[in-house]
Amino acid sequence: MNKAILIHIGPPKSGTSAVQNALNKNRDLLLQNGIDYPEHEVGPNGISSGNLNAILTLDKDSKWAVCADKVANIVSQFEMSKAHTLLLSSEYFFYLTQEIAQIIPSAKFIAYIRCPLETFESSYNQSVKRHMRTTPIVFGKNLHLTTLNLLSEAIDVIGRKRFILRAYLSSFEQNFDLIEDFGVAASLPALKSSQRFTNSSYTFEALEFKRWLNQFGLKELDGLIDQALQAYDGGLKQFSMLPEDLFSRYQKQSLHSTRDFIQNYKVSNGKALVTFLKNRESMQHMEQNLNENQLNKVCQYFIEHYPQLFDNICDALKQHSKSDIEHVERVALILQKQKAKPSIFQRIFPAFIKK
């Protein structure tokens, strides 16, 4: 039997959690078809690190590194199994692709190429959602192209033949189904998926509210707050913090770099991605601030749908020893009494933004 090892490396912000969620839910089906996808934990919001712990370990500097013993163990188990394919997935693998390729010389890597401009803003939003960021986004003169640069370097070192490269397209404008496309890339049976519910994007109002809350370090409540805000569908869903005067410049850089990558490395559906980038219009620009009406709606949403969580938030804010403590106490009192008065919120949020 010919054995194959496929490793999905993301990169980050290319729907990795949705893929992992679908694979994890369909492990029995995959195994019936000769594909071994090791089980892993999935958070309540559908987010996971995939098979991170299957072959990686934390080194003495608390950085993820390839573990030779783990690799030897999982490959040995696979070789003795009846499965013909070992499939692993984690975006953490992306930064260690060259090391993994060296220690598993037979492995092939699946990677998705997304518009660099969307990756940049999506990465910022993720830092607010999951990493407690409080500062506004910062745009430099040129667009960050870290993902494409790292992937290009890995391909040049490892060799193009060991990569399966796919374009990450727009599900709304191009009818793209990531799970279906991944199934084609990895030769999988049809999978049942809940892709659209995995790691859904915040609305603008939810993102800014989360950014304000992050300053208080409510780590014990953060997972529940994230779930609540992901479910909030009020407000603006299509937006950008990129100023209009920078959009044209970034758009050209994004198109140029993506087109060069696709031409150099032959990406499946690459032409569709280039066409999308050529025709992509700027989304509504938003300054990172909320007006009193927007704040009021987010707060009322919490009060109506997550009253206990909001009580817990209020209790935590009361205990916080920041210079803003007077405002915090007033907010907590208002939320507990279900009286979200816009005039007070208006004074709180701008004070935070100016910091």
Side-chain angles (χ1 to χ4, degrees), residues 18 33 65 83 93 125 132 150 181 201 206 209-210 221 268 330:
N33 286 270
F93 298 157
N125 294 351
M132 309 299 285
L150 288 175
D181 188 85
S201 300
F209 191 78
K210 180 64 164 62
L221 300 175
S268 178
R330 295 175 75 179

Side-chain angles (χ1 to χ4, degrees), residues 288-316:
Q288 288 191 261
N289 198 351
L290 289 181
N291 61 43
E292 56 188 50
N293 183 53
Q294 292 169 325
L295 275 167
N296 185 40
K297 287 182 179 179
V298 176
C299 292
Q300 289 296 340
Y301 161 77
F302 267 94
I303 291 166
E304 292 172 12
H305 299 279
Y306 300 90
Q308 183 58 58
L309 173 58
F310 232 161
D311 282 344
N312 294 339
I313 291 172
C314 295
D315 289 340

